[in-house]
């Protein structure tokens, strides 16, 4: 590791590359270090030698234990010299050597003498060195001096003691905590940095005491903290306090917000930015709170300093993920940043624009992205890919250029994570945009022709098997798939065989050819590949019957695995080899923990396309459907039309947490109550929800399914089903009471008592609203869809919406009431516009397609008017949509 | 939760990416090889830019602010949650202090000839990750006063000269 410091090529042009350390060698320098032992010290010479030693260490040279000890002892001799410059180098050298405990003793007395010297520089540095190398026992001896130093009038000495205190707190907290009074006094110092260091130490001393931190913040935000660094620190502590207190006071103003806002007017940019960032990161920040922060960040975007531009665009980028509307104001400034010399700034600007931009700017943006995709790091590329996927889902019309872009970058160099992000995006687009299917599949086929990642290849093959046979010309995929059988490793070959079988099962015309290909696989070197080929040949040839009919054979090939893997694993572990074969039907299908899909609000932007099928909104419905159809009471309700996002029925941090998912069927609704017991000392049994539907006259309870037991921290579900008139638009309010039997649990043994007590718990009310009968379904091309729907069932009306906060607020309110999917990004209202047109699409219960065009206008006193044009396949539904707007 | 602003390293490299002086304050790069690898990647990622003023780059979860002059490259690294402007202030302090100490002759050769000053400068700016001082004139004064009658002496006159340049700097930044 130790490299000779002479760089051979340095010799060529000696003038430019002259170095005072040319030809330096460790051995020689160690020899030179003998001058430290001279009775007549030459300070100048000694300084030079130390510099050389430091240079060696800095270049990565290491000293052996013996060498280090020798140097250390030699250096300690230099305390005799009165030369301040030399002394300073000695301090550095000691810190660099980090001596062992028995060596420390040698310098302790010298350092303690310096700590009490009249020279401030000696004092400051001796403190830093001593605290660096000391252990706990020595600390008690010097504690008195350190306390004095903290309140020393020289800021350098005070800072040295305070910073040392911050470090020592990690190892000797009980000692440092005793310095609280002195540190508090240092807070009042006039020196900026002392204030900063004192605040940092004071907070660390009190960090485990919430109340003390809160008091500290309260007193300091009123006073004047002078140093910008200390101000930044205070902002961080303040947002920490806000974070911890916000759960308690749900109503009213956010505490300390005024302070954060006032920091936006500070004179130091550092503080302004820290405050702006803190505001954007507040949990549940409102657009009103965001506005002043966004305004200062916008100013930073056009700064001449790259660091400022970067900081601003990075923060805005994060805001755009949660509040895209708030950032649209900055779009013009952001677009000029795309050509920024600094690539990091350009990337962040692009991805922010992708999140907030509108349809017309897509093509231009794509062109600009392509240019610099090559010279940014993978982690940035993944960010860009994710942004493009969400963009494509927002503007399905633009899929062609976006899909092209994805396929182009798929061909370039890149690591696994990056490639996976691209493939996932393409898969998501194929699923959500029917028009994109054929080209997307084709790009994936191209990709697996030269894919170095087994995982991706087999995932794509699986996906191809499901989607490929449904395309107009399935035969063109066969070549790509069979190539895998010839060229790839065993895992990919096995996947390819399964995929071939799926084509054979679905497409009759291809069957004979598939047979030929599968037979060739019978001679594969790998067991799994041969087994699969044999099995599929028999199944497809009808020699072995899986179930009774042909559909059963298809179920066997395509059927998703409806048994939870965890349950299967447990059952298989419990299974003991015997005469009786393992029966998969014996595996319980009840999902013990909450299904993954529920935790995520089913948004429009699935994060994963491949792999886990329980992700993403499409399959969230699948998961619910599977869950519900496994319950015999609900099996006769027909097809599930829609499942709502979970609605919380309890406040956060209550004893029992309950949320509800509304499942809408044609003639029924099912409420799925997801309950969590947060008390370790309790076991709940026979959990039901008593629903009072007196305010929902059209609903009649038909069935309920209690939850047998609800142990601590393991979510469980109970269901209640209602009958209602066919189709829409029955609405109503339901009040809920959770009923159960409580049993005490001994937390040490985990055993519950036998006797339980009946108890109940009031939950919040639940409503069925008109929007529940509408499913958000995007259309690829609104104009085409609108025209093909025709004006037969069109109804036009105008409504006054009264005084609204803003146009954007009115638009989003109407979208929420109707529960429809905004198309082509029209839910984004450009700021300051006086009118806006919004396009919505959806499917009403009974599978009736509905399209709506809303034109909004706002007058001076914020009076909003709306013209609503609805087209649908059924005149009754058209009228009903208008009815929804009239009633709300 | 460590909420105190912290600096992970300060680097001074030459125009080929070789070390002039470096200081690491955290264990993010435990071995010498890891440190060199970081320096190499930070150098290659930034060498094409023309960082006359403070520039910034983010990679591998680090934020690096940097500035070049002649054949010297100055870097300050922080975590990806760090306030970029604080890091930039540290860089500015380091850069200007070196400028003062080397009496406006900031190049690799002068830096190597006064390497002791550079080491002391690094020592005065950050202490184990915590920002110690950011004001260039204060840093330079602290470093210089140590070598008053030392070998690489900074005579009384040069200090006032240095402070004059500091004032000039200040005036310039006010004029902007």
């Amino acid at each position: 590791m130790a490299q000779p410091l002479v760089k051979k090529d340095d010799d060529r042009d000696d003038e430019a590359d002259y170095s005072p350390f040319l030809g330096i060698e460790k051995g020689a320098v160690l020899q030179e270090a003998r001058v430290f032992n001279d009775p007549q010290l030459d300070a100048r010479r000694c300084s030079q030698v130390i510099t050389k030693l430091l240079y060696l260490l800095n270049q990565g040279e290491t000293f052996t234990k013996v060498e280090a000890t020798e140097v250390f002892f030699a250096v300690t001799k230099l305390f005799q010299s009165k030369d301040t410059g030399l002394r300073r180098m000695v301090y550095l050298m000691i810190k660099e050597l980090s001596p062992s405990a028995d060596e420390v003793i040698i310098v302790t007395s010298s350092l303690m003498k310096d700590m009490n010297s009249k020279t401030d520089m000696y004092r400051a540095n001796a403190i830093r060195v001593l605290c660096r190398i000391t252990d706990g026992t020595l600390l008690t001896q010097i504690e008195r001096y350190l306390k004095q130093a903290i309140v020393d009038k020289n800021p350098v000495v005070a800072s040295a003691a305070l910073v040392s205190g911050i470090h020592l707190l990690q190892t000797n907290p009980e000692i440092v905590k005793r310095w609280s009074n002195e540190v508090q006094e240092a807070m009042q110092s006039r020196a900026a940095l002392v204030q900063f260091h004192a605040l940092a130490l004071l907070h660390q001393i009190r960090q485990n005491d919430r109340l003390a931190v809160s008091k500290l913040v309260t007193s300091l935000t009123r006073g004047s903290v002078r140093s910008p660094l200390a101000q930044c620190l205070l902002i961080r502590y303040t947002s920490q306090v806000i974070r911890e207190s916000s759960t308690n006071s749900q109503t009213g103003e956010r505490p300390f917000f005024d302070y954060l806002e006032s920091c936006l007017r500070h004179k130091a940019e550092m503080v302004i930015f820290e405050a702006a960032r803190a505001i954007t990161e507040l949990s549940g920040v409102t657009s009103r709170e965001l506005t002043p922060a966004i305004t200062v960040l916008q100013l930073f975007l056009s700064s001449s300093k790259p660091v400022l531009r970067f900081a601003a665009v990075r923060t805005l980028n994060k805001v755009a993920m949660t509040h895209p509307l708030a950032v649209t104001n900055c779009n013009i400034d952001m677009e000029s940043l795309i050509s920024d010399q600094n690539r990091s700034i350009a990337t962040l600007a692009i991805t922010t624009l992708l999140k907030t931009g509108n349809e017309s700017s897509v093509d231009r943006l794509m062109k600009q992205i392509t240019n610099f995709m090559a010279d940014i790091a993978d982690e940035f590329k993944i960010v860009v890919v994710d942004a493009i996927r969400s963009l494509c889902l927002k503007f399905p019309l633009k899929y062609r250029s976006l899909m092209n872009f994805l396929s182009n970058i798929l061909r370039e160099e890149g690591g696994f994570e990056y490639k996976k992000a691209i493939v996932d995006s393409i898969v998501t687009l194929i699923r959500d945009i029917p028009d994109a299917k054929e080209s997307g599949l084709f790009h994936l086929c191209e990709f697996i022709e030269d894919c170095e990642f087994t995982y991706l290849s087999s995932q794509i093959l699986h996906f191809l098997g499901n989607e490929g046979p449904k395309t107009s010309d399935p035969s063109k995929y066969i070549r790509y798939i069979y190539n895998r059988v010839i060229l790839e490793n065993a895992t990919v070959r096995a996947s390819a065989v399964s995929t071939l079988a799926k084509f054979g099962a679905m497409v009759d015309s291809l069957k004979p050819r598939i047979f030929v290909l599968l037979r060739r696989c019978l001679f594969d070197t790998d067991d799994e590949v041969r087994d699969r080929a044999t099995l599929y040949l028999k199944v497809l040839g009808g020699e072995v019957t899986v179930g009774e009919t042909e559909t059963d054979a298809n179920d066997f090939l395509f059927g998703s695995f409806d048994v939870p893997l965890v349950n299967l694993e447990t059952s298989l572990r419990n299974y003991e080899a015997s005469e009786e074969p393992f029966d998969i039907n014996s595996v319980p299908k009840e999902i013990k923990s909450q299904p993954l899909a529920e935790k995520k609000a089913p948004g429009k932007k699935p994060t994963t396309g491949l792999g886990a099928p329980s992700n993403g909104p499409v399959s969230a419905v699948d998961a619910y459907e599977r869950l519900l159809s496994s319950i015999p009471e609900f099996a006769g309700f027909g097809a599930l039309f829609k499942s709502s996002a979970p609605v919380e029925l309890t406040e956060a941090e209550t004893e029992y947490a309950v949320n509800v998912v509304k499942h809408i069927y044609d003639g029924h609704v099912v409420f799925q109550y997801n309950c969590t017991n947060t008390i370790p000392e309790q076991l709940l049994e026979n959990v039901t929800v008593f629903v009072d539907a007196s305010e929902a006259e059209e609903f009649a309870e038909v069935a309920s399914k209690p939850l047998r037991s609800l142990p601590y921290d393991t979510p469980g579900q109970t269901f209640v089903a209602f009958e209602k008139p066919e189709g829409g638009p029955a609405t109503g309010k339901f009040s809920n009471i959770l009923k159960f039997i409580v049993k005490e649990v001994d937390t040490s043994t985990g055993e519950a008592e036998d006797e339980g007590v009946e108890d109940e718990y009031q939950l919040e009310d639940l409503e069925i609203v008109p929007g529940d009968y509408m499913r958000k379904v995007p259309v690829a091309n609104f104009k085409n869809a609108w025209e093909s729907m025709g004006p037969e069932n069109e109804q036009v009306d105008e409504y006054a919406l009264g005084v609204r906060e803003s146009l954007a607020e009115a638009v989003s309110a109407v979208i929420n009431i109707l529960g429809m999917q905004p198309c082509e990004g029209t839910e984004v209202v450009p700021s300051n516009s006086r009118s806006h047109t919004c396009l919505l699409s959806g499917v009403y219960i009974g599978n009736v397609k509905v399209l709506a065009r809303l034109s909004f206008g706002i007058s001076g006193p914020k009076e909003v008017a709306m013209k609503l044009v609805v087209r649908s396949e059924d005149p009754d539904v058209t009228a009903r949509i208008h009815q929804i707007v009239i009633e709300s | 939760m460590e909420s105190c602003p912290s600096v992970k390293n300060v680097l001074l490299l030459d125009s080929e990416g070789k070390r002039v002086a470096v200081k690491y304050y955290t264990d993010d790069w435990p071995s010498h090889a890891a440190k060199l690898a970081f320096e190499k990647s930070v150098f290659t990622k930034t060498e094409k830019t023309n960082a006359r003023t403070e520039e910034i780059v983010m990679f591998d979860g680090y934020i690096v602010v940097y500035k070049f002059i002649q054949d010297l490259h100055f870097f300050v690294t922080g975590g990806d949650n760090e306030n970029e402007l604080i890091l930039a202030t540290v860089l500015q302090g380091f850069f200007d202090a070196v400028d003062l100490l080397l009496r406006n002759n900031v190049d690799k050769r002068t830096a190597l000839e006064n390497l002791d000053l550079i080491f002391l400068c690094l020592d005065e700016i950050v202490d184990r990750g915590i920002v110690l001082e950011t004001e260039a004139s204060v840093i330079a004064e602290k470093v210089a006063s140590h070598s008053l009658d030392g070998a690489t002496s900074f005579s009384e006159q040069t200090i006032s000269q240095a402070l004059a340049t500091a004032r000039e700097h200040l005036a310039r930044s006010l004029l902007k």
Side-chain angles (χ1 to χ4, degrees), chain A residues 15 44 58-60 84-85 88 95-96 128 167 197 236-237 270 273-274 277 308 314 342 379, chain B residues 3 19 21-23 32 55-56 60 63 80-84 89 109 123-124 127 131 146 151:
Chain A
E15 182 50 41
R44 183 197 163 111
N58 207 262
Q59 293 293 327
T84 49
R88 191 69 175 79
K95 278 200 273 190
E96 231 23 79
R128 284 175 59 199
H167 295 308
H197 295 135
R236 290 184 193 185
Y237 300 155
M270 184 197 289
F273 172 67
E274 187 76 43
R277 192 171 71 157
L308 214 51
R314 188 158 80 106
N342 186 315
E379 57 186 282
Chain B
S3 53
R19 279 181 184 183
V22 298
K23 189 78 192 160
H32 182 58
E55 272 291 348
I56 184 162
D60 297 344
I63 291 177
D80 67 350
N81 261 329
E82 199 44 80
N83 180 332
E84 293 88 342
T89 311
R109 180 174 172 164
D123 186 58
E124 290 292 357
D127 184 290
V131 180
H146 285 303

Side-chain angles (χ1 to χ4, degrees), chain A residues 762-774:
Chain A
Q762 182 71 43
L763 302 175
E764 280 174 30
D765 291 351
L766 151 74
E767 268 186 285
I768 291 278
V769 293
D772 285 329
Y773 297 111
M774 181 69 76

Side-chain angles (χ1 to χ4, degrees), chain A residues 504-524:
Chain A
M506 291 286 285
V507 190
D508 278 337
S509 60
L510 285 176
K511 219 172 195 172
R513 287 193 256 169
I514 297 285
F515 272 124
V516 175
L517 295 176
L518 283 178
R519 268 192 214 106
R520 289 193 198 161
C521 301
L522 292 175
F523 304 102
D524 198 280

Side-chain angles (χ1 to χ4, degrees), chain A residues 475-487:
Chain A
S475 64
K476 68 179 177 192
Y477 300 106
I478 301 296
R479 180 171 64 89
Y480 295 103
I481 301 167
Y482 190 66
N483 276 348
R484 306 279 68 71
V485 178
I486 305 171
L487 299 168

Side-chain angles (χ1 to χ4, degrees), chain A residues 3 91 164 167 169 218 224 294 333 356 373 418 532 578 586 675 779 819 874 887:
Chain A
Q3 288 174 358
Y91 294 140
S164 299
H167 295 308
L169 192 68
T218 312
S224 58
I294 301 287
D333 307 77
T356 61
M373 222 32 198
Y418 173 43
R532 283 196 191 192
S578 65
S586 67
C675 314
V779 289
D874 181 343
E887 281 169 10

Side-chain angles (χ1 to χ4, degrees), chain A residues 33-90:
Chain A
R34 290 193 181 153
V35 295
F36 299 165
N37 297 320
D38 283 353
Q40 290 299 314
L41 280 175
D42 178 350
R44 183 197 163 111
R45 181 93 197 281
C46 293
S47 284
Q48 279 172 349
V49 176
I50 293 185
T51 309
K52 282 186 188 170
L53 288 167
L54 286 172
Y55 175 82
L56 287 172
L57 288 171
N58 207 262
Q59 293 293 327
E61 183 78 73
T62 45
F63 293 162
T64 64
K65 184 83 188 84
V66 178
E67 284 165 350
T69 313
E70 249 172 49
V71 171
F72 176 77
F73 279 109
V75 166
T76 57
K77 303 258 169 50
L78 299 179
F79 274 103
Q80 291 167 23
S81 167
K82 296 271 176 284
D83 186 290
T84 49
L86 177 58
R87 183 68 56 86
R88 191 69 175 79
M89 296 309 282
V90 169

